[in-house]
Amino acid sequence: MTINVIKTLKRLAAAALFAPTLALAAGAVLHLDKAPVSKDPAALQAGAKTFVNYCMNCHSASFVRYNTLTQIGLTEQEIRDNLMFTGERIGDLMKVSASPKEQKAWFGATPPDLTLVARQRASEFGSGADWLYTYLRQFYRDPNRPTGWNNKVFENVGMPHALWELQGEQIGKVTEHDGVKSIELELAKPGKLSAQEYDKTVADLVSFLVWMGEPVAEKRKTIGVVVLIFLAGLFALSFALKKNYWKDIH
């Protein structure tokens, strides 16, 4: 009886171990475009402007202060003149004026904070930057959705297309190939920007979101390289000392 119980427990443990893998294999494959992430200050500044003008109407970046943007080449006066519109102070966190309670009442759910979104959206299909870059370019009109919009990357998303005036309006056409249905997007109404200009705007925005998730990333990498060089030098000295110490003993 005890042996049977042990065997059953082993089977259950094995099933629990491999269940996530099997579920992942059974899920739909997400095709993401590679995001052209840039560290160029001009690109990051353009992305910051798009973020403040289009994203911060609903989404906060509550782990970043406005004066942190001096790290991408902006002066405090430029930040005040171009990125602050409601009387904030330069040292304030980048929060929306509405409270989470008010946003939930208006939208049905509180829009998520975007400080770490580029890190949160990383998956086996690509980086968080890849997900964001693809997501922001694949909205399409859907009259069956409350907002009038849907998205190929995030099906039945609750967020409307905040950048539709720039991109224009895409429509989704259902196609079928080898019994598999998919949605093909077609630009039905052009926006203020050409397709290339819109892609560049999204790339700059994504670059800013990546930077915002870890503003000290470059500094961290530089420190890491210095530490590795120091450890390599220390190893060489230690090895030389070891050889010199043991040469007479052997």
Side-chain angles (χ1 to χ4, degrees):
M1 181 68 176
T2 304
I3 295 176
N4 291 334
V5 170
I6 292 174
K7 287 182 178 179
T8 302
L9 291 175
K10 286 182 177 180
R11 293 193 192 99
L12 291 174
L17 180 63
F18 290 105
T21 303
L22 294 173
L24 185 61
V29 176
L30 192 60
H31 297 285
L32 300 178
D33 298 327
K34 184 66 177 176
V37 177
S38 175
K39 300 173 185 175
D40 179 48
L44 295 175
Q45 291 170 22
K49 183 177 179 180
T50 302
F51 177 79
V52 169
N53 285 314
Y54 290 93
C55 303
M56 274 194 69
N57 295 321
C58 300
H59 298 277
S60 293
S62 58
F63 298 99
V64 176
R65 298 185 185 278
Y66 283 100
N67 56 9
T68 307
L69 302 183
T70 56
Q71 297 179 23
I72 60 175
L74 294 170
T75 66
E76 289 191 357
Q77 191 58 49
E78 288 173 333
I79 296 170
R80 290 190 184 96
D81 292 343
N82 302 306
L83 301 176
M84 301 172 65
F85 310 116
T86 57
E88 308 96 332
R89 293 175 295 180
I90 192 67
D92 287 347
L93 295 169
M94 298 178 68
K95 292 183 176 181
V96 297
S97 56
S99 69
K101 185 177 180 180
E102 289 174 328
Q103 289 185 306
K104 187 172 183 180
W106 296 337
F107 308 125
T110 303
D113 187 280
L114 297 184
T115 310
L116 302 176
V117 66
R119 300 169 68 176
Q120 294 166 337
R121 285 296 179 179
S123 69
E124 71 279 10
F125 303 114
S127 68
D130 297 340
W131 190 93
L132 289 166
Y133 182 67
T134 309
Y135 167 73
L136 290 171
R137 293 159 53 248
Q138 295 201 355
F139 275 94
Y140 63 94
R141 279 293 185 187
D142 185 349
N144 297 318
R145 298 295 302 153
T147 63
W149 296 96
N150 211 326
N151 193 286
K152 282 185 64 176
V153 174
F154 193 155
E155 187 177 359
N156 295 329
V157 64
M159 173 181 151
H161 187 12
L163 304 176
W164 73 270
E165 290 183 323
L166 302 180
Q167 185 186 27
E169 298 184 26
Q170 296 186 124
I171 57 174
K173 294 185 176 181
V174 179
T175 62
E176 187 171 345
H177 182 69
D178 294 333
V180 179
K181 291 185 178 180
S182 62
I183 297 176
E184 297 295 331
L185 300 184
E186 179 182 310
L187 186 63
K189 183 179 179 181
K192 295 178 180 178
L193 304 179
S194 67
Q196 293 76 17
E197 290 170 336
Y198 181 74
D199 287 351
K200 178 64 168 60
T201 297
V202 171
D204 291 344
L205 173 58
V206 171
S207 297
F208 175 73
L209 292 172
V210 170
W211 171 84
M212 190 167 59
E214 191 179 2
V216 297
E218 292 305 308
K219 184 177 181 180
R220 172 179 57 79
K221 292 175 183 177
T222 301
I223 293 174
V225 170
V226 172
V227 169
L228 289 174
I229 293 173
F230 171 78
L231 291 176
L234 183 63
F235 173 79
L237 289 174
S238 301
F239 186 74
L241 179 64
K242 176 257 183 187
K243 287 186 65 176
N244 186 64
Y245 181 81
W246 286 96
K247 66 180 180 179
D248 296 329
I249 297 178
H250 291 299

